[in-house]
Amino acid sequence: DGGITQSPKYLFRKEGQNVTLSCEQNLNHDAMYWYRQDPGQGLRLIYYSQIVNDFQKGDIAEGYSVSREKKESFPLTVTSAQKNPTAFYLCASTTTERTGEKLFFGSGTQLSVL
Amino acid sequence: SQQGEEDPQALSIQEGENATMNCSYKTSINNLQWYRQNSGRGLVHLILIRSNEREKHSGRLRVTLDTSKKSSSLLITASRAADTASYFCATEESGANNLFFGTGTRLTVIP
């Protein structure tokens, strides 16, 4: 089945630790996105990539890093510089380089701080 | 950047009733989309309406768009318990390169 796979579903981070969230898609989509969702708030864009080896910062990129070495994969690293990392992280992709079209979402990763 | 505002924040109705939720935004848009999210899950795309469209239907869903008032509404007719979820609007601003999501409406349909 085609889709977007995020792993792990739950992740715990210790103080000062970097953690990496995985996002893989087999939909042959060009564009991929990372969003952060906090309770009572909408989704906020962290980073997005429209093509391999290229990515742009979203509204809340500080404390996060990404890579796009393969079309299928767009991992997100939450660094120790992100002081409030507890949130639900969602990865999404779409069929065209032009954003604003229908997004396909993964099932999310809940990150918590120990 | 702008973010849409949904209204109401929460809505509770009986099964079989209609549910209406509204979305307001601030700047010119190319299109507006509605998504659904079950608790602890990813979002699922429901419907997209372009700025030159005023109304769109998909099954039990009806979406309207009023660009002069910068607002949209989502109507779910003959609601079912399975419609219980959070619903988000998302807008693509003119000239922007991504979607901006609202804060969502939490819908509870009581069997």
Side-chain angles (χ1 to χ4, degrees):
Chain A
D1 286 339
I4 301 178
T5 301
Q6 289 188 241
S7 63
K9 187 166 179 62
Y10 300 97
L11 186 59
F12 298 92
R13 193 191 90 167
K14 295 180 181 178
E15 197 73 33
Q17 186 182 39
N18 292 354
V19 292
T20 297
L21 285 61
S22 171
C23 178
E24 303 277 334
Q25 54 97 1
N26 60 5
L27 300 168
N28 199 34
H29 286 172
D30 295 309
M32 297 185 73
Y33 308 82
W34 275 106
Y35 289 92
R36 170 179 171 141
Q37 186 178 30
D38 294 278
Q41 297 190 36
L43 278 65
R44 292 183 291 168
L45 183 65
I46 304 172
Y47 268 99
Y48 64 101
S49 169
Q50 295 178 314
I51 196 169
V52 174
N53 292 323
D54 188 45
F55 47 83
Q56 284 78 40
K57 293 181 179 179
D59 297 324
I60 56 165
E62 186 174 350
Y64 300 97
S65 66
V66 294
S67 63
R68 186 88 186 274
E69 297 177 0
K70 299 186 300 181
K71 187 175 185 178
E72 303 80 17
S73 179
F74 191 41
L76 173 74
T77 296
V78 183
T79 74
S80 56
Q82 173 50 247
K83 298 306 179 186
N84 184 24
T86 297
F88 190 55
Y89 291 86
L90 287 160
C91 179
S93 69
T94 191
T95 55
T96 64
E97 290 182 354
R98 179 179 175 274
T99 56
E101 297 296 326
K102 171 183 176 180
L103 290 178
F104 294 79
F105 282 85
S107 56
T109 293
Q110 175 65 51
L111 175 62
S112 302
V113 177
L114 290 176
Chain B
S1 64
Q2 71 151 355
Q3 189 176 52
E5 291 286 335
E6 279 96 337
D7 170 57
Q9 288 187 322
L11 180 60
S12 184
I13 60 174
Q14 295 289 331
E15 198 165 32
E17 294 181 339
N18 295 342
T20 300
M21 49 204 89
N22 305 294
C23 171
S24 60
Y25 56 91
K26 297 175 183 174
T27 66
S28 296
I29 61 171
N30 292 331
N31 67 60
L32 185 144
Q33 303 177 35
W34 286 91
Y35 288 81
R36 166 196 168 123
Q37 183 182 35
N38 286 72
S39 182
R41 306 287 295 176
L43 278 70
V44 175
H45 182 267
L46 295 176
I47 197 165
L48 181 153
I49 186 165
R50 301 199 184 275
S51 60
N52 61 353
E53 298 175 313
R54 292 295 168 259
E55 187 171 313
K56 209 162 183 181
H57 297 256
S58 177
R60 292 184 296 114
L61 305 180
R62 173 182 167 237
V63 170
T64 61
L65 179 64
D66 187 335
T67 52
S68 66
K69 295 181 179 179
K70 294 186 171 55
S71 67
S72 172
S73 67
L74 171 67
L75 169 67
I76 304 173
T77 61
S79 64
R80 306 165 181 168
D83 293 329
T84 295
S86 292
Y87 292 82
F88 294 86
C89 68
T91 54
E92 183 201 18
E93 293 178 357
S94 301
N97 219 17
N98 57 65
L99 290 179
F100 298 94
F101 284 83
T103 52
T105 292
R106 173 71 189 169
L107 173 65
T108 302
V109 181
I110 303 166

